[in-house]
Amino acid sequence: MRAGQQSMKQFDDAIAAAMGVGASRPASQGMSPFAMYPDYVTEAWRLWNASIVNAFAAAGTSVQPSRGDKRFKDDAWQHSPYYDLLKQSYLLTSKQLSDLVDQAQVDDKSRLQLRFYARQFIDAMSPSNFPATNPDVIRTAIRTRAASLATGMQNLIEDLKKGRITRVDESAFEVGRNLAATPGSVVFENELIQLIEYTPQTVEVEKTPLLIVPPCINKYYLLDLGAGNSFVEYAVAQGHRVFLISWRSAIPETQYLTWDDYLNLGPLKAIDVVRDIAAVDKIHVLGFCVGGTILSCAAGVLAARGEHKLATMTLLTTMVDFVDTGEIGLLIDENAVALREAMIGRGGILPGKELAFTFGTLRANDLIWRYVVESYLKGATPEAFDLLYWDSDSVSLPGPMYCWYTRNTYLENKIKEPGKTTQCGLPIDLSQVSVPLYLLASREDHIVPWQSAYRSKDLMGKDPRFVLAASGHVAGVINPPARKKRNFWLNDNINRDAKTWLEEAQEKPGSWWPDWDNWLKRHSSGKMRAPAQPGNANFKIIEPAPGRYVKQKSN
């Protein structure tokens, strides 16, 4: 407040000086009439200034925050003329800057990039992000006699040591205790993956086992959060025999691994191990996000080899056609990819915290600035939230693998084109993948636009079933039926463009999980008695789930 008052005083003094106040010449010698009455001019200016502020407030809020914007929820932003003026000035300036970007004479992609970077600047400069202009921060500092500011500074110092923003009470969670806690055993490992077989919870299980391929840019336990919030737990409870890949975060020994290595050492190897353990020819496979892209390419390799090892394939919020990648695609252009290729393309590591920060910028107000205010300015203790803990537990990637992926997907969009990529020594044509396909997208997904996920139905598989979940990239997928939250859309007629499909779709309450379970069982080969032990003579128990790899912290 003092800073604001001092700024206003300096502005007042400058106006008074411009009017000639303070000059010593008498009026008869050419003095400005205003200079004859300096006190009057100063007080008149201040009265005029106060009148503008009051009139601004009395007129009501002319510029409103967008729906869901929580930065200005404190009552002071509405009822205090000073803070209302700050808020409306900021929102008006933000709108003006956004309009200028939209009017720029550039190509469409450049305009989208400008819009993205302008939003980063706009979000960063919000008055709610600064202690002198955030009423809640000031109020908290007064109430705690500045202890909140001291604690916030200590929080900042600790985060500088970590190299990332702390968004969750990390002491509240432990992988293997209240996260990734579904019982199971590691039955195979190599330098890239551990393969977990989960302990059956039913007397009988489906003969056709299920292999889950999670994203390699995150820890797998997004699919196995706490009890009652775990997709793995649900699948096991429905009688599926579940296996899952746990990716290893890149270390110096694995910094040279390529995209082909990720296919060979990851899903292609895991598919053979699961077939051996379950003594079956074909298995179900499920991929989530980047894991789904990797799995799709692995299926393409199997098709090119003429190997029929898959019974069905499920892709959750997965892109195969990268023509529309949403905002994250704006961060990947030729210069960015070429720079990465020069630095780590032949060996090196892309740090997990760098990837996590990039994803955070897509929703900076929610994932960055909110925690800057709460932790650094107000000295608050982060909440205990399992999804935030998972989101902060990042995974590093080998440079060669990452560079191949970004160039052939986001930059050049090659993997959808028959024969445009060579993977594992073979030209890949995804249209040759002819297994039943279940596609799940999330309507508000900011990482995989649902329309992009919808396009996969035309590129691969047969008899595709497309389901659209409510909410975003994570919440749309992790939606246990018992919680009776959200909804999803179904439309069996997928010979439509995305817009028409949704217009004709039927909205269903609750979770999409039972729909997937029923679909998967229709494509299974019956039931069998649940195995008494995990693994077999060729693949013995290495250690209990969740295994070592998921517990390793990336740099």
Side-chain angles (χ1 to χ4, degrees), residues 139-260:
R139 191 181 303 114
T140 303
I142 293 172
R143 186 180 67 250
T144 63
R145 295 180 179 272
S148 59
L149 297 177
T151 302
M153 185 58 65
Q154 186 60 44
N155 292 343
L156 174 60
I157 292 170
E158 292 299 319
D159 281 1
L160 288 172
K161 293 177 182 178
K162 295 178 184 178
R164 58 179 173 83
I165 298 173
T166 299
R167 296 179 292 169
V168 64
D169 180 5
E170 297 177 359
S171 65
F173 300 100
E174 181 183 351
V175 175
R177 178 175 62 84
N178 55 357
L179 294 173
T182 301
S185 303
V186 176
V187 293
F188 171 79
E189 70 179 34
N190 57 31
E191 62 267 44
L192 181 61
I193 69 166
Q194 288 191 315
L195 182 66
I196 298 170
E197 180 179 359
Y198 288 96
T199 305
Q201 302 298 317
T202 53
V203 176
E204 292 186 322
V205 295
E206 296 291 326
K207 288 182 181 179
T208 308
L210 168 67
L211 171 64
I212 297 176
V213 184
C216 60
I217 60 173
N218 299 106
K219 298 293 180 68
Y220 82 78
Y221 60 84
L222 173 63
L223 296 170
D224 187 23
L225 292 169
N229 199 26
S230 167
F231 180 82
V232 169
E233 177 190 55
Y234 173 82
V236 172
Q238 305 314 304
H240 295 288
R241 190 174 181 183
V242 181
F243 295 78
L244 179 144
I245 287 176
S246 173
W247 298 100
R248 188 183 194 180
S249 185
I251 57 175
E253 290 78 5
T254 63
Q255 65 175 303
Y256 300 103
L257 293 182
T258 65
W259 178 261
D260 286 356

Side-chain angles (χ1 to χ4, degrees), residues 500-521:
T500 305
W501 181 93
L502 181 56
E503 290 173 348
E504 298 175 352
Q506 184 177 6
E507 185 174 351
K508 303 280 188 178
S511 172
W512 59 272
W513 292 8
D515 180 81
W516 167 80
D517 173 53
N518 292 331
W519 177 87
L520 198 65
K521 287 176 178 175

Side-chain angles (χ1 to χ4, degrees), residues 214-357:
C216 60
I217 60 173
N218 299 106
K219 298 293 180 68
Y220 82 78
Y221 60 84
L222 173 63
L223 296 170
D224 187 23
L225 292 169
N229 199 26
S230 167
F231 180 82
V232 169
E233 177 190 55
Y234 173 82
V236 172
Q238 305 314 304
H240 295 288
R241 190 174 181 183
V242 181
F243 295 78
L244 179 144
I245 287 176
S246 173
W247 298 100
R248 188 183 194 180
S249 185
I251 57 175
E253 290 78 5
T254 63
Q255 65 175 303
Y256 300 103
L257 293 182
T258 65
W259 178 261
D260 286 356
D261 292 327
Y262 265 66
L263 298 182
N264 280 318
L265 299 174
L268 290 174
K269 181 61 180 178
I271 287 168
D272 286 339
V273 173
V274 172
R275 291 172 64 244
D276 188 312
I277 292 174
V280 296
D281 293 327
K282 295 182 179 182
I283 70 171
H284 301 301
V285 289
L286 179 152
F288 178 23
C289 189
V290 179
T293 307
I294 292 173
L295 179 60
S296 298
C297 290
V301 172
L302 291 177
R305 292 174 178 173
E307 298 177 351
H308 305 286
K309 299 178 179 180
L310 306 182
T312 69
M313 184 160 61
T314 298
L315 299 179
L316 309 180
T317 61
T318 293
M319 273 192 294
V320 178
D321 184 346
F322 286 73
V323 68
D324 177 13
T325 57
E327 287 193 331
I328 193 169
L330 302 177
L331 305 178
I332 302 174
D333 57 22
E334 177 62 41
N335 290 335
V337 173
L339 180 61
R340 292 290 190 192
E341 289 171 337
M343 295 178 64
I344 59 174
R346 296 187 177 182
I349 293 175
L350 180 70
K353 62 184 179 183
E354 194 172 320
L355 279 172
F357 179 79

